[in-house]
Amino acid sequence: MDENAKLSFDGKTIELPIITGTEGEKGLDISKLRKETGYITVDPGFSNTGSCTSAITYIDGEKGILRHRGIPIEQLAEKSTFVETAYLVIHDRLPLKEELEFYSKGFTKHSMIHEDMKTFFRGYPQNAHPMAILSAMVCSLSCYYPEFIKAEPTDDEIENIAIELMAKVRTIAAYTYKKSIGEPFVYPRADLRYVANFMHMMFSSPVKEYKIDPEIVKALETLFILHVDHEQNCSTSTVRLVGSSRANLFASVSSAICALWGPLHGGANQKVVEMLQRIHDDGGDVDKYIAKAKDKNSSFRLMGFGHRVYKNFDPRALLIKDQCKMVLDRLGIHDPLLDIAVKLQEKALKDDYFKERKLYPNVDFYSGIIYKAVGIPLAMFPVLFAIGRMPGWIAQWKEMIESPCARIGRPRQIYTGENKRDYIPMEKRS
Ligand code: SDX
């Protein structure tokens, strides 16, 4: 049994239950704080605040540990597939052969979107940002599959919605790309597995069948695995908060896509490559940009660096950096942006500013170089992050809905505005 913490102020003492996680993490349960003291806690950015207990992902930011349902990310990246890892995070165990086949067959069967939805794409300007389209189209799935928008779906219904979402998100992403280049949509194929089908829909056309390279598919599969879930990050917290009002999964995930789009979150992978290109075009002077990143008067930040939780290395960044070299070698590409990224990392990690603040490369620092090498356009980078994160969003939404203490999320605040004052009629205002 956990002991209690004692909190004393205003001449009174209250006891706060201590919660201990399976990895020894400690938390104070303050759910009775306001009722017993009238006080709330304030923690902008929630750096010190747990929104829930969860059994899906464990991160130790000091040791650079990331595990999904207890399995280290390094083992999943090396030995698993994206579909299998998706099953793991959603169902808390690795699938049996027939369960994995059920998922794979479901992704193939449900990979099409309703033909009427294709007309939406024509309404967007050619340079519309793909994340805007993805969010809108995912929410629009609730119009075409009304059977899935029940406030209290059964386990089977959640499973079916999950398969629909993971199956269709690739198709919507690929159609968004085709729209941006004025090419006809390419339908999914029944004989291709998850990632290969995505590459086919992205890069095949009526006059050219995309040649699937298993090594490149494996590299993309590894990237998707590395993005699957990451505990209560900004977009996942969004899924939980929106879902806590009993909004359906399509609507909750659509909100998460918008949160992920932000350049401080999943949008960083696009900003990293734009930053590297800017440094390259400016002569490759890495020192100049490290100095700008340290300059408090400059808004410039080293995109792809730093993390709220990882205060040592981000294990995903290490794995992606290895994939980078493999993909570029496989494609016979020498990308000067990779050289700049490696130089930036080397210099930053020796610099006191970054060392003192424990700023290391995060998942977004190298991923864009791989996406660029395989032909994914810059604006689509956050979309690939969303495809990878889809199983995690679903798993976290499911865990929240099934939690016995699932209440609508409604944080409090400390008011700092005007005290009571009367209405002033127009003629008396100055
Ligand atoms: C993702 O949460 C997750 O798990 C997210 C994610 C996931 O899988 O879901 O891992 C995916 O979003 C990765 C992060 C991608 N974003 C970026 O790469 C954008 C660049 N990074 C920063 O904006 C920042 O590091 C954040 C947003 C990632 C973290 O922000 P914090 O935790 O609020 O840290 P902070 O802004 O308070 O910074 C602390 C200090 C500050 O300096 P001081 O005021 O103490 O002097 O570090 C500095 C910051 O100025 N700092 C940086 C920096 N990041 C932090 N300085 C220069 N360059 C940077 N990149």
Side-chain angles (χ1 to χ4, degrees), residues 35-160:
K35 195 173 163 194
E36 293 187 11
T37 69
Y39 280 59
I40 64 168
T41 58
V42 179
D43 183 21
F46 308 120
S47 295
N48 307 283
T49 299
S51 61
C52 61
T53 57
S54 176
I56 299 169
T57 291
Y58 172 66
I59 299 175
D60 182 324
E62 281 66 33
K63 295 181 187 149
I65 291 173
L66 170 58
R67 299 184 199 134
H68 295 310
R69 301 291 188 181
I71 301 177
I73 191 65
E74 294 80 5
Q75 293 184 28
L76 292 169
E78 184 195 341
K79 300 171 181 166
S80 187
T81 64
F82 177 62
V83 171
E84 184 180 69
T85 303
Y87 188 98
L88 169 70
V89 293
I90 293 172
H91 290 282
D92 84 10
R93 59 177 173 79
L94 290 166
L96 301 173
K97 195 168 177 350
E98 57 272 18
E99 291 167 327
L100 188 58
E101 269 313 298
F102 174 75
Y103 253 40
S104 289
K105 287 196 174 102
F107 291 158
T108 301
K109 183 177 170 206
H110 298 285
S111 53
M112 303 275 284
I113 61 173
H114 194 292
E115 280 293 290
D116 290 354
M117 291 186 80
K118 288 166 58 177
T119 55
F120 295 177
F121 290 87
R122 292 191 185 89
Y124 291 107
Q126 188 144 5
N127 63 349
H129 197 289
M131 287 294 267
I133 300 176
L134 184 69
S135 174
M137 295 303 271
V138 163
C139 199
S140 301
L141 288 173
S142 52
C143 307
Y144 286 85
Y145 304 94
E147 67 275 22
F148 289 140
I149 58 175
K150 290 163 64 180
E152 309 286 346
T154 64
D155 277 355
D156 284 349
E157 286 166 338
I158 293 177
E159 181 80 330
N160 293 333

Side-chain angles (χ1 to χ4, degrees), residues 157-177:
E157 286 166 338
I158 293 177
E159 181 80 330
N160 293 333
I161 304 171
I163 289 173
E164 287 283 352
L165 253 177
M166 288 185 281
K168 290 174 164 57
V169 68
R170 292 171 293 178
T171 310
I172 294 170
Y175 284 11
T176 302
Y177 171 59

Side-chain angles (χ1 to χ4, degrees), residues 164-267:
E164 287 283 352
L165 253 177
M166 288 185 281
K168 290 174 164 57
V169 68
R170 292 171 293 178
T171 310
I172 294 170
Y175 284 11
T176 302
Y177 171 59
K178 288 299 192 188
K179 148 93 202 161
S180 73
I181 57 174
E183 280 192 10
F185 299 146
V186 171
Y187 287 121
R189 278 173 36 184
D191 62 323
L192 293 176
R193 312 295 276 185
Y194 195 90
V195 176
N197 225 341
F198 172 63
M199 301 292 279
H200 159 67
M201 289 188 278
M202 284 284 289
F203 299 122
S204 290
S205 77
V207 293
K208 181 196 74 171
E209 187 64 21
Y210 174 69
K211 188 172 177 329
I212 305 281
D213 177 338
E215 289 302 311
I216 300 302
V217 167
K218 176 63 186 139
L220 219 53
E221 180 124 43
T222 303
L223 276 174
F224 283 161
I225 291 171
L226 293 173
H227 284 81
V228 151
D229 188 57
H230 215 238
E231 57 160 70
Q232 305 313 314
N233 58 83
C234 178
S235 54
T236 300
S237 298
T238 303
V239 163
R240 281 180 171 260
L241 191 58
V242 172
S244 72
S245 73
R246 295 301 180 267
N248 65 75
L249 183 55
F250 296 131
S252 304
V253 165
S254 171
S255 315
I257 291 166
C258 293
L260 187 73
W261 188 2
L264 295 187
H265 190 15

